[in-house]
Amino acid sequence: MIGELGRRSATALLVHSALIQAVTFLVRPAATYRALELDVPGFALGLLAASYAVFPLLLAVPTGSLVDRLGERRLMATGSAVVLACSAFLLLWGSSITALVIGTALLGAGQLACVVGQQAVVANNAASSRMDSAFGYLTFAASLGQALGPLAISLVGGATVRPDTQAIFLLSVVMSLVLFATTFLVSARVGGGKKAVAAVGRGSVVSLLKAPGVARALATSATVLAVVDLTMVYLPALGADRGLTAATVGAMLTVRAVFSMVSRLLLGRVSRRIGRMRLLVVSLVLSTVALAVAAVPMPAGLLFVVMALLGLGLGIGQPLTMSWLSAQAPAGQRGRALALRLAGNRVGQVVLPSAIGGVAAGLGAGGVFLASAAVVGGTLLLLRGVQLD
């Protein structure tokens, strides 16, 4: 259960979280496959990839203000409708790189609205003592969706090198319809009523960032997510340096993802036992050690163990920063704070990998893991002075 939500609403919320991620991880690769069918130049693929992040960067804060004013379900319904429109647009008119870029950008906007609405439901309904557990379940459902999307491509594509993208876009339309319908099974509730609207009117991004702990939570979240991306990019390079097969590296990435999901299922129980901030410190220390150890040459079997530990550490970090941020944000501004976190995550995904990659360029993939360990370890300094409840 999530706070005041009944079983039906809580289940619908988790299904909604899984579905939006599944559609996203279905449509984005399908758009790339369609671009390859069109034989577009390499720079156009980069443009297609970047278009997804445009709206989340530009609209994150206004979207957060909107959910605080209008309520979570309305925003989730709007986002679901945009995702449905995107899927239908790509199915009917996705035959040029321009159309693919437009469709992918719309997908980014719809996904943003859905995720902000989902997180605001948890932040505004879960009791403080249950917030870690609620965000753990929400992020577990999101991870499950991220696994189901690519699996759907495999089922549709079969053994072909390039799957039938028209069939994939049709499947995304069907899934988006279910996503939209699921929205209305979530209890209709405005996060904070008139008081929330008044608080939003008085608040600003600057005042929100000045609230105790908010900036530190944002920085920690962005760092953890950027390191997850770095692991996905540089573990194959590390494996190539050590003569590991692609299948072995893929299995290691799967192990990391599975252990992240497991950590989220157990998050509430462990957090209540040792305290949220103490658990966050443990997760950051565990991630730092695992990243540093991964840079040391070792047998493949031991590297699997290291990836499992890294998955536990990084998996805990994201939901805990959500609950930390929700607890620190002023009344009526939780939606804005969570949206600001998503924008910060996008910036971190661009800035940190570029910086770490540049610094460690001469040291190879192992150097990237060492540099990542230093960055994650540095976030522990952000927690100095924070009460380890």
Side-chain angles (χ1 to χ4, degrees), residues 52-95:
Y52 176 75
V54 170
F55 283 124
L57 279 173
L58 296 178
L59 301 179
V61 175
T63 301
S65 299
L66 200 61
V67 71
D68 286 328
R69 291 177 182 275
L70 300 181
E72 302 91 337
R73 194 173 77 172
R74 289 182 183 177
L75 188 67
M76 290 167 61
T78 300
S80 301
V82 171
V83 171
L84 176 58
C86 153
S87 298
F89 175 79
L90 290 173
L91 175 66
L92 298 174
W93 296 290
S95 55

Side-chain angles (χ1 to χ4, degrees), residues 153-362:
I153 292 180
S154 300
L155 294 175
V156 173
T160 60
V161 175
R162 294 185 181 179
D164 182 356
T165 51
Q166 198 69 359
I168 294 176
F169 288 140
L170 178 60
L171 177 59
S172 73
V173 169
V174 174
M175 293 172 65
S176 299
L177 278 170
V178 178
L179 174 75
F180 183 71
T182 303
T183 307
F184 298 96
L185 297 178
V186 178
S187 175
R189 181 177 182 274
V190 175
K194 295 179 179 179
K195 291 182 179 179
V197 173
V200 170
R202 293 193 301 269
S204 68
V205 173
V206 175
S207 63
L208 182 59
L209 288 172
K210 289 181 178 179
V214 168
R216 288 185 286 185
L218 292 173
T220 303
S221 175
T223 300
V224 170
L225 190 61
V227 169
V228 171
D229 282 1
L230 279 165
T231 303
M232 289 189 291
V233 171
Y234 281 98
L235 187 60
L238 187 72
D241 289 346
R242 298 179 184 177
L244 301 177
T245 65
T248 299
V249 172
M252 287 180 180
L253 288 171
T254 300
V255 166
R256 186 206 61 77
V258 167
F259 273 81
S260 287
M261 294 172 70
V262 169
S263 72
R264 290 168 177 177
L265 280 178
L266 302 175
L267 185 62
R269 186 180 305 172
V270 179
S271 176
R272 286 191 295 273
R273 183 177 295 273
I274 70 174
R276 175 187 300 154
M277 300 312 298
R278 187 172 285 109
L279 180 58
L280 182 58
V281 169
V282 170
S283 75
L284 293 174
V285 170
L286 185 61
S287 300
T288 300
V289 172
L291 287 165
V293 172
V296 179
M298 67 182 72
L302 284 179
L303 192 54
F304 269 103
V305 176
V306 171
M307 286 300 108
L309 295 175
L310 182 61
L312 287 174
L314 295 178
I316 290 171
Q318 282 298 298
L320 278 186
T321 54
M322 290 181 193
S323 51
W324 179 20
L325 188 59
S326 299
Q328 296 300 123
Q333 297 193 55
R334 285 174 172 170
R336 178 181 290 183
L338 290 166
L340 190 61
R341 172 187 166 276
L342 292 176
N345 285 351
R346 292 288 186 271
V347 173
Q349 286 176 295
V350 173
V351 174
L352 281 176
S354 301
I356 291 175
V359 169

Side-chain angles (χ1 to χ4, degrees), residues 74-145:
R74 289 182 183 177
L75 188 67
M76 290 167 61
T78 300
S80 301
V82 171
V83 171
L84 176 58
C86 153
S87 298
F89 175 79
L90 290 173
L91 175 66
L92 298 174
W93 296 290
S95 55
S96 68
I97 187 60
T98 301
L100 292 174
V101 168
I102 292 172
T104 302
L106 285 173
L107 178 66
Q111 193 262 3
L112 170 71
C114 288
V115 170
V116 170
Q118 292 160 5
Q119 293 179 6
V121 169
V122 174
N124 289 325
N125 287 277
S128 178
S129 61
R130 302 289 299 176
M131 195 171 290
D132 294 335
S133 179
F135 274 120
Y137 286 128
L138 185 71
T139 51
F140 173 85
S143 297
L144 182 61

